[in-house]
Amino acid sequence: AMADSTNHDATAAKKSAVALGYYKDPYIKSFFAALVDPQAGSGAADGRRPPLINRGYYVRVVSVFNKLCALLAAAPNSQILNLGAGFDTLFWRLRDAGAAFSAFFEVDLPSIVVPKRAAVEQSRNLSRAVTASPAPYALVAADLTDLAAVDAALRAAGLRTDLPTILVSECVFAYIPSPRTAALLQWAATTFPSTAHIDYEPMNPHDAFGQIMLKNLQARGCALLGLAQCPDKEAHLARYRACGWARANAIDLNQAYAALPAAERQRVEKIEWLDELEEWTLINSHYILCFASNGEAFSSVPL
């Protein structure tokens, strides 16, 4: 139920940001329609989210996408593993951008994978892209806390251990017990010749705003099992080192926003008026983007 609830919120928030023109994603509406009850989540009946949420999702989506494209440019034969992918549309957006990759795997719980597979099959737009793609797309049902099951399911779906591999995870590891995340990161660092990881997570749970963030999530049945062990940038970087990663860096969402081109920020700031600038920077300081890599294939990509 927790994964369903977080997937629901993320899908609805992305649809809201896309409808207002923050970024282009012609696919999210098909997945939003596939949610069991699109009105069950938080937010207005029309699915519109507050400006702070819209802009925050924009920074998250675009930052992850840009970094992934940079990694693929360095190693176009990479496999992509989208962990805890929910109803994310990354595969289709990469195809539209003309990005080259060798295979795309999504791993999530059956309660997400089954309706997502149905949504893809029912949409001509989505299914046509999968059929036309030279790189296979595989939806894999597995529990990320069970590494043996994840490994077996991915290999059965065609995962290769001789190709550079990029892992993407967004707000996944905060919900997983820390030792399970460490096992997964260790597996990724040692299973492939070169590995990269893009990770987006909540952080700084201990200050006043962090406590509010925790209470809101707990009230909705979302336990942040991994956040206590990995509360800040230093902890994230230490975890990569401990799990055998050669290079790692992390920035908060304020830094991610500042790194976007000025013209792009100006465009976005015209979409909705944001008078709570202090709140915007406060929220952004509670989300972290981590980039890590191992091996030769990604060594040229600045973290």
Side-chain angles (χ1 to χ4, degrees), residues 17 32 37 58 80 97-98 113 142 145 162 167 189 220 226 241 267 302:
F32 181 75
D37 175 7
Y58 157 78
I80 300 166
V113 167
T145 63
D162 60 339
L167 286 78
R220 294 180 32 242
R241 282 194 301 273
R267 178 189 72 81

Side-chain angles (χ1 to χ4, degrees), residues 2-37:
M2 183 173 77
D4 297 344
S5 155
T6 54
N7 177 52
H8 193 297
D9 282 355
T11 305
K14 287 170 184 173
K15 178 184 170 284
S16 172
V18 167
L20 289 161
Y22 278 90
Y23 65 99
K24 286 187 175 62
D25 182 350
Y27 308 103
I28 195 72
K29 59 180 184 289
S30 300
F31 289 118
F32 181 75
L35 291 171
V36 183
D37 175 7

Side-chain angles (χ1 to χ4, degrees), residues 165-268:
T165 302
I166 305 167
L167 286 78
V168 178
S169 50
E170 299 180 45
C171 285
V172 175
F173 293 148
Y175 298 103
I176 291 175
S178 218
R180 302 296 167 97
T181 298
L184 226 157
L185 289 177
Q186 216 162 358
W187 169 84
T190 52
T191 302
F192 310 99
S194 291
T195 320
H197 185 208
I198 304 170
D199 186 28
Y200 171 83
E201 301 290 344
M203 69 163 173
N204 294 337
H206 302 308
D207 64 15
F209 182 84
Q211 289 296 305
I212 295 168
M213 180 168 75
L214 281 181
K215 282 198 182 74
N216 286 343
L217 286 162
Q218 281 159 352
R220 294 180 32 242
C222 302
L224 287 139
L225 301 166
L227 185 56
Q229 275 75 44
C230 219
D232 53 31
K233 177 177 173 173
E234 286 66 36
H236 276 277
L237 298 182
R239 176 161 75 185
Y240 281 118
R241 282 194 301 273
C243 293
W245 292 72
R247 295 170 293 274
N249 189 25
I251 56 173
D252 73 11
L253 226 53
N254 285 314
Q255 294 167 297
Y257 187 58
L260 294 172
E264 184 58 3
R265 293 199 307 272
Q266 282 160 4
R267 178 189 72 81
V268 162

Side-chain angles (χ1 to χ4, degrees), residues 72-192:
L72 289 172
N77 62 329
S78 298
Q79 307 174 108
I80 300 166
L81 298 187
N82 196 350
L83 303 175
F87 283 2
D88 195 34
T89 59
L90 195 49
F91 168 79
W92 291 271
R93 287 181 288 118
L94 283 173
R95 290 261 308 136
D96 284 354
F101 49 92
S102 66
F104 196 105
F105 301 88
E106 292 187 4
V107 182
D108 216 319
L109 296 168
S111 63
I112 303 281
V113 167
V114 171
K116 185 167 194 177
R117 188 173 283 130
V120 172
E121 285 165 1
Q122 284 158 20
S123 157
R124 281 185 64 194
N125 216 2
L126 295 170
S127 57
R128 200 187 288 136
V130 172
T131 313
S133 172
Y137 167 76
L139 262 168
V140 176
D143 184 337
L144 290 171
T145 63
D146 184 348
L147 182 55
V150 169
D151 182 79
L154 281 167
R155 287 174 197 252
L159 182 76
R160 288 170 52 176
T161 56
D162 60 339
L163 290 175
T165 302
I166 305 167
L167 286 78
V168 178
S169 50
E170 299 180 45
C171 285
V172 175
F173 293 148
Y175 298 103
I176 291 175
S178 218
R180 302 296 167 97
T181 298
L184 226 157
L185 289 177
Q186 216 162 358
W187 169 84
T190 52
T191 302
F192 310 99

